[in-house]
Amino acid sequence: MLKIITTPSPILSQTAKPVAKLDKSVLNLIEQMKQTLLSAQDPVGVGLAAPQIGKALRIFIIKQNHKSPISTFINPLIEDFLNAPSEKNQQAKQSETTRRAKEKSGINKNVQLEGCLSLIDIWGEVKRQPGVALSYQDEKGEKHSQKFYGFISTIIQHETDHLNGILFPKRVLEQKGKLYKSRKDEKGEDIFEEIEI
């Protein structure tokens, strides 16, 4: 298991390099990333990019909920942004914990809050595109071109930003959104307090 790099580490603001060769060292790195993502509990991680564990390579992994398998994306490239195919995909899903905490903190339930394992207790309102067309390689080196919608599209956009040296607060500022700091109340539940920007 690897240590997750947190701000203000400079590697988080660097553009990651493409993976030139899918060798044993890269596969070993991906295995370690998986263990690191699975161990993230508070908050539970849904994605992890290689720069977050100190490797400036264009790799990220996703586990969108506790039941889903981990998906690996090597040299991912967003080819296009897509509209949602149906009304039900207009809103990205959020974890039950985040939804309850937002309600308790008085945050609009339609606002999508993003967090990051590299930014402890910081959350922000980020508007992401409903879908993406993504080209990437898997762990076997096979190339894929696929469309993703909803929550997984949000995660892909967040993780792709990591590969480009962008952390989500930059998107919040660009969109004139709000940032929040979370803390635990006496029952151990998350409370969100707005940060003055």
Side-chain angles (χ1 to χ4, degrees):
M1 189 173 71
L2 301 166
K3 182 181 186 311
I4 295 175
I5 304 294
T6 56
T7 56
S9 175
I11 196 166
L12 295 172
S13 58
Q14 295 173 10
T15 301
K17 294 178 171 44
V19 175
K21 185 179 178 187
L22 191 55
D23 57 18
K24 190 180 260 188
S25 68
V26 172
L27 293 174
N28 184 49
L29 174 67
I30 292 168
E31 246 351 276
Q32 290 181 299
M33 287 175 67
K34 289 179 180 179
Q35 294 308 313
T36 303
L37 181 61
L38 290 172
S39 71
Q41 294 301 317
D42 193 15
V44 172
V46 293
L48 186 68
Q52 292 180 273
I53 45 88
K55 303 292 181 187
L57 291 172
R58 297 192 79 79
I59 302 169
F60 64 74
I61 59 174
I62 287 175
K63 182 174 176 60
Q64 54 182 329
N65 62 53
H66 69 283
K67 293 179 183 174
S68 60
I70 294 177
S71 301
T72 302
F73 300 82
I74 301 166
N75 295 332
L77 178 65
I78 295 176
E79 304 280 359
D80 201 3
F81 292 105
L82 308 169
N83 292 323
S86 66
E87 190 63 34
K88 69 178 182 179
N89 284 324
Q90 289 291 350
Q91 292 295 327
K93 294 177 188 170
Q94 294 185 57
S95 74
E96 184 66 18
T97 305
T98 304
R99 187 188 62 73
R100 280 199 318 264
K102 283 194 331 185
E103 285 174 0
K104 192 169 184 179
S105 301
I107 299 171
N108 184 329
K109 67 179 180 181
N110 294 321
V111 168
Q112 302 304 318
L113 283 188
E114 262 184 48
C116 180
L117 296 172
S118 292
L119 287 159
I120 309 300
D121 299 331
I122 302 296
W123 302 83
E125 299 175 6
V126 184
K127 295 181 184 81
R128 299 282 188 182
Q129 297 296 322
V132 291
L134 190 77
S135 61
Y136 65 97
Q137 285 177 277
D138 62 23
E139 289 169 88
K140 296 176 183 170
E142 293 177 9
K143 294 183 178 178
H144 300 270
S145 186
Q146 199 171 347
K147 294 175 181 176
F148 297 92
Y149 296 95
F151 188 41
I152 194 166
S153 169
T154 297
I155 302 170
I156 287 169
Q157 291 170 71
H158 177 107
E159 300 306 329
T160 300
D161 274 354
H162 270 301
L163 302 184
N164 295 324
I166 298 169
L167 296 175
F168 79 84
K170 180 177 182 183
R171 300 295 186 207
V172 173
L173 292 171
E174 289 170 351
Q175 298 169 8
K176 297 181 172 36
K178 294 179 182 178
L179 279 172
Y180 300 89
K181 184 160 181 64
S182 66
R183 64 174 176 81
K184 301 286 185 193
D185 66 10
E186 62 281 350
K187 294 180 183 173
E189 294 180 5
D190 286 312
I191 299 289
F192 295 105
E193 296 171 341
E194 189 176 343
I195 299 170
E196 290 295 324
I197 302 176

